[in-house]
Amino acid sequence: MKLFPILFSAILVLGGGTCTGENIPGIFKRVEAYLSESARDEGLLKDFVESGTMNGMFKTGEVLQIFEELLNKYPQFVSKEKIGKTVKDVGIYAFKLSSTGKNPKYKKSKVLFTGAHHARELLTPTIVLCIYIEALHSLLHPSGKAEYWRYNDLLIIPIVNIDSHALISAAWNTKRWEEVKWTRKNQKIDCSDALSGGVDLNRNYGYHYGESLDDINPCEETFKGESAFSEPETQAVRSLVEKYSGLISSAMNFHSYGDLWLRPFNYMRQKDTWPDRFDQTVINFYQNFDKKIKKVSEAKVGNAIESVGYFTDGEASDWMLGEHQILAFSPELGSKDPKAQTFFIPKNLIFSVIKENYSVIELFLAENTFRPSGLIFGFDNQKKLRVSFQNEGVATLFEPIITLHTNLASFSETLKSVTGRTREGLTFTSDFKTDFDSVSFSVPSINRLTEFVLEFEFTDDSVQNSKLELDLQISLAWGERVSSFLLTHDGRIINESLIYAAFSVLTIFMIITTIFMTEKIIASRKLRRVRERRNSNVPRPSLKNDIKAIEACLDPPTF
């Protein structure tokens, strides 16, 4: 019989205070009060955020039980799945929030949030709870502001390091509090001092793991473990990410404190650098988002060496981006208020710190949308109609439906094929359905931060030689329209060969002009030197002829 896991699970429940019969009902009553109001009531949200029994912070059992209560109350939106177990055999769960509920038919991008890789960072479960409840409120009371819901599900791992967080929770208001509250690592005790044992979970991920000779002492706070993913907690995160491979578009792995917005790559030893041949569109995204953060926050922005002065191997966000192309961040929650620069924030500052950081989180969620721009439309020299645009959003659309309404019956009558391609080189051919004045088809995906191209081939020239009007509509797989373009073509062909020829002529003209200007500058300098000689008293018999020859060079050429 596994007696210790049972006892530890009991500690976890006691840590949450559920046996008092007061805190869970009281906390959830505040949650329901906030969710019941159609308008966002900041006062009600503050009442909830500061209602944890550890001086406003939430105990382990309180966090997990709130999620369970939300699951029971709102099963049409909330679901959970077991992703693994801790060192002490306690289950680790991820909670999902989706506008389409549990329907497995529709694929959507996913945004992942994790809390408490480090147990003593008590504010992190609070921020993920706040994100989840704010998101649920936007589902219960749609206002059009939470645009990201159209394209994304939310995945939350409230507490990664459950064992140690439960240990701290159980020590609250006891004699052990002062020694236990500093616990950072998991409960894999491999040190003579039990409180110093364990593995730093945020050094245990398998991307550039263990490149330095640091973090090898089991008794040090940053011990990286025996090998990459040696710990069941990081294995649980890995299993979730791999299960949704290609679907998780972005993530935030929260820490506290520091008032920092860290982003990959944290293993790098130089500031503001990226690996060679790394995807430039991803680099551009991070650089642009850094600028947006600085507009709403005074927090430091950058990778670890740039922001905190040290590097971290085997870090969660590095692994997510490096191995799974997830646009990940590792925020260190904090505030410009020096009293908030601690693991144990005073109760009267909890909400202000959450609010201060939430402005960046809202920017982050706003990036997780579909944002088409730079549309190009016309016939090429191969007599194919081409439509292309850039998706500047982080969300990928899976199996979207594209419908074209047209003024020409010949469009659907003579349409031969629909093909497409993305920046990654993925090509596809779509089966299409035609009606008198419309054509519809689905495509595999419209990927994030990439160009998307459609090409329409016809059996004859009737469409390209006519005045064409198109209403191009893009809808999600379940039929919700997300974008529409009105396109017109006046019967002329956009000939790429002619465009190239025109560009070549322009290039030649620029070269000739540059040569001429260079010669003119040289001639001007010669003329100046000749005139300087003339103004001197030194006789120059051929000076007059020299000046005439040089001045002739200054006359502009005739084209």
Side-chain angles (χ1 to χ4, degrees):
M1 180 178 179
K2 294 184 178 180
L3 180 60
F4 187 80
I6 294 174
L7 290 174
F8 195 85
S9 296
I11 289 174
L12 189 151
V13 173
L14 288 171
T18 55
C19 60
T20 66
E22 295 177 358
N23 21 6
I24 295 299
I27 293 170
F28 195 68
K29 185 177 180 179
R30 290 176 170 87
V31 173
E32 288 189 301
Y34 176 69
L35 292 176
S36 65
E37 295 291 327
S38 58
R40 184 178 178 275
D41 190 317
E42 194 170 278
L44 292 175
L45 184 63
K46 182 176 184 293
D47 286 345
F48 156 67
V49 166
E50 297 176 348
S51 63
T53 53
M54 288 193 295
N55 194 33
M57 300 290 194
F58 294 105
K59 294 183 178 180
T60 313
E62 291 170 347
V63 173
L64 301 181
Q65 191 60 36
I66 290 170
F67 277 99
E68 291 292 337
E69 294 290 342
L70 292 172
L71 173 63
N72 295 334
K73 184 75 179 287
Y74 304 103
Q76 72 273 34
F77 298 127
V78 180
S79 59
K80 76 170 184 177
E81 56 186 287
K82 189 174 183 178
I83 60 174
K85 292 184 177 181
T86 68
V87 168
K88 301 302 183 184
D89 208 32
V90 176
I92 303 175
Y93 292 88
F95 292 86
K96 179 181 173 183
L97 194 62
S98 176
S99 61
T100 53
K102 301 177 182 179
N103 192 333
K105 181 180 178 181
Y106 304 122
K107 287 199 301 184
K108 296 172 71 176
S109 289
K110 290 169 177 38
V111 184
L112 172 64
F113 295 98
T114 71
H117 271 79
H118 298 142
R120 68 191 178 196
E121 296 171 4
L122 300 179
L123 190 61
T124 62
T126 301
I127 192 80
V128 297
L129 254 177
C130 189
I131 291 169
Y132 201 81
I133 288 169
E134 281 275 70
L136 179 56
H137 185 278
S138 69
L139 280 180
L140 295 172
H141 309 285
S143 63
K145 293 182 179 180
E147 181 76 7
Y148 63 89
W149 274 125
R150 286 179 159 188
Y151 314 104
N152 303 282
D153 297 330
L154 258 57
L155 289 172
I156 302 275
I157 306 176
I159 303 172
V160 175
N161 192 355
I162 295 178
D163 292 345
S164 295
H165 193 276
L167 190 69
I168 293 174
S169 298
W172 173 250
N173 273 343
T174 71
K175 294 179 181 180
R176 298 195 67 206
W177 171 251
E178 287 301 322
E179 61 175 343
V180 170
K181 72 178 185 179
W182 300 104
T183 303
R184 168 185 171 98
K185 300 184 287 182
N186 73 353
Q187 287 298 297
K188 185 177 183 178
I189 306 305
D190 45 11
C191 178
S192 58
D193 177 7
L195 290 177
S196 299
V199 172
D200 182 343
L201 299 179
N202 203 39
R203 302 293 187 277
N204 192 240
Y205 287 86
Y207 188 76
H208 289 266
Y209 167 86
E211 288 193 342
S212 71
L213 298 178
D214 299 330
D215 310 326
I216 59 175
N217 185 344
C219 296
E220 291 294 327
E221 281 201 328
T222 56
F223 176 52
K224 63 190 176 186
E226 296 299 329
S227 61
F229 293 111
S230 61
E231 305 311 296
E233 293 88 351
T234 54
Q235 292 170 21
V237 177
R238 180 180 63 182
S239 71
L240 180 72
V241 170
E242 290 181 347
K243 175 180 178 179
Y244 294 109
S245 178
L247 295 178
I248 300 176
S249 57
S250 60
M252 282 191 171
N253 302 293
F254 286 103
H255 297 266
S256 70
Y257 61 99
D259 200 23
L260 310 166
W261 284 89
L262 302 180
R263 48 101 175 126
F265 281 105
N266 296 298
Y267 76 87
M268 300 198 78
R269 275 55 170 171
Q270 297 84 27
K271 298 179 180 180
D272 196 27
T273 54
W274 295 87
D276 293 338
R277 297 180 297 279
F278 197 73
D279 189 340
Q280 188 60 47
T281 60
V282 172
I283 296 174
N284 292 343
F285 167 80
Y286 277 107
Q287 291 175 340
N288 290 334
F289 196 73
D290 286 354
K291 296 175 183 176
K292 292 180 181 180
I293 292 175
K294 291 174 182 178
K295 290 181 179 179
V296 300
S297 172
E298 297 179 15
K300 288 185 178 179
V301 178
N303 64 0
I305 196 71
E306 185 174 1
S307 301
V308 294
Y310 59 82
F311 53 85
T312 58
D313 298 338
E315 197 266 341
S317 292
D318 280 10
W319 171 75
M320 289 181 182
L321 178 61
E323 293 291 340
H324 294 277
Q325 295 74 55
I326 296 170
L327 301 173
F329 292 83
S330 296
E332 290 278 2
L333 301 174
S335 168
K336 52 184 175 291
D337 189 331
K339 293 180 182 178
Q341 299 301 325
T342 174
F343 297 120
F344 314 106
I345 296 176
K347 183 176 181 178
N348 66 327
L349 292 180
I350 293 175
F351 185 70
S352 64
V353 173
I354 294 290
K355 185 177 177 181
E356 194 171 321
N357 287 271
Y358 212 83
S359 59
V360 179
I361 295 168
E362 287 180 325
L363 285 177
F364 172 72
L365 289 172
E367 293 291 322
N368 285 272
T369 57
F370 170 61
R371 297 206 311 269
S373 69
L375 185 138
I376 300 175
F377 166 73
F379 282 88
D380 63 16
N381 62 331
Q382 297 178 341
K383 301 181 180 180
K384 292 181 180 180
L385 178 64
R386 179 179 298 179
V387 179
S388 67
F389 58 82
Q390 183 85 7
N391 177 14
E392 295 184 343
V394 172
T396 292
L397 305 190
F398 295 97
E399 299 176 353
I401 301 167
I402 297 179
T403 304
L404 299 104
H405 295 279
T406 174
N407 64 320
L408 296 177
S410 59
F411 188 96
S412 56
E413 292 171 352
T414 63
L415 182 61
K416 179 180 178 182
S417 67
V418 179
T419 58
R421 62 178 173 82
T422 65
R423 187 187 60 130
E424 290 86 351
L426 172 68
T427 59
F428 57 86
T429 301
S430 292
D431 295 329
F432 55 89
K433 298 178 181 179
T434 61
D435 200 348
F436 174 73
D437 64 346
S438 67
V439 174
S440 64
F441 53 92
S442 65
V443 299
S445 64
I446 300 177
N447 295 341
R448 69 178 190 190
L449 304 176
T450 60
E451 182 187 35
F452 180 75
V453 179
L454 287 173
E455 291 182 344
F456 301 87
E457 186 176 5
F458 299 89
T459 58
D460 61 35
D461 299 343
S462 59
V463 174
Q464 72 180 39
N465 293 329
S466 304
K467 184 174 182 180
L468 173 64
E469 295 178 358
L470 283 179
D471 178 10
L472 188 152
Q473 300 173 0
I474 301 174
S475 302
L476 301 176
W478 50 94
E480 181 182 357
R481 189 192 304 177
V482 295
S483 190
S484 181
F485 305 101
L486 294 176
L487 310 172
T488 59
H489 168 68
D490 60 5
R492 291 178 294 179
I493 298 175
I494 299 176
N495 193 311
E496 291 180 346
S497 299
L498 290 177
I499 293 173
Y500 178 77
F503 179 77
S504 300
V505 170
L506 179 62
T507 302
I508 294 170
F509 175 78
M510 293 299 294
I511 293 172
I512 293 172
T513 302
T514 302
I515 294 172
F516 162 68
M517 292 302 295
T518 303
E519 291 180 348
K520 184 173 181 178
I521 291 170
I522 294 172
S524 296
R525 289 175 179 172
K526 287 183 178 179
L527 180 61
R528 185 170 62 252
R529 287 197 296 269
V530 169
R531 284 174 173 164
E532 287 173 354
R533 292 173 187 170
R534 182 179 62 185
N535 292 335
S536 67
N537 293 323
V538 180
R540 300 288 182 185
S542 60
L543 189 63
K544 187 173 182 180
N545 293 332
D546 285 349
I547 292 175
K548 287 182 178 180
I550 293 171
E551 285 178 338
C553 292
L554 295 177
D555 293 331
T558 302
F559 289 94

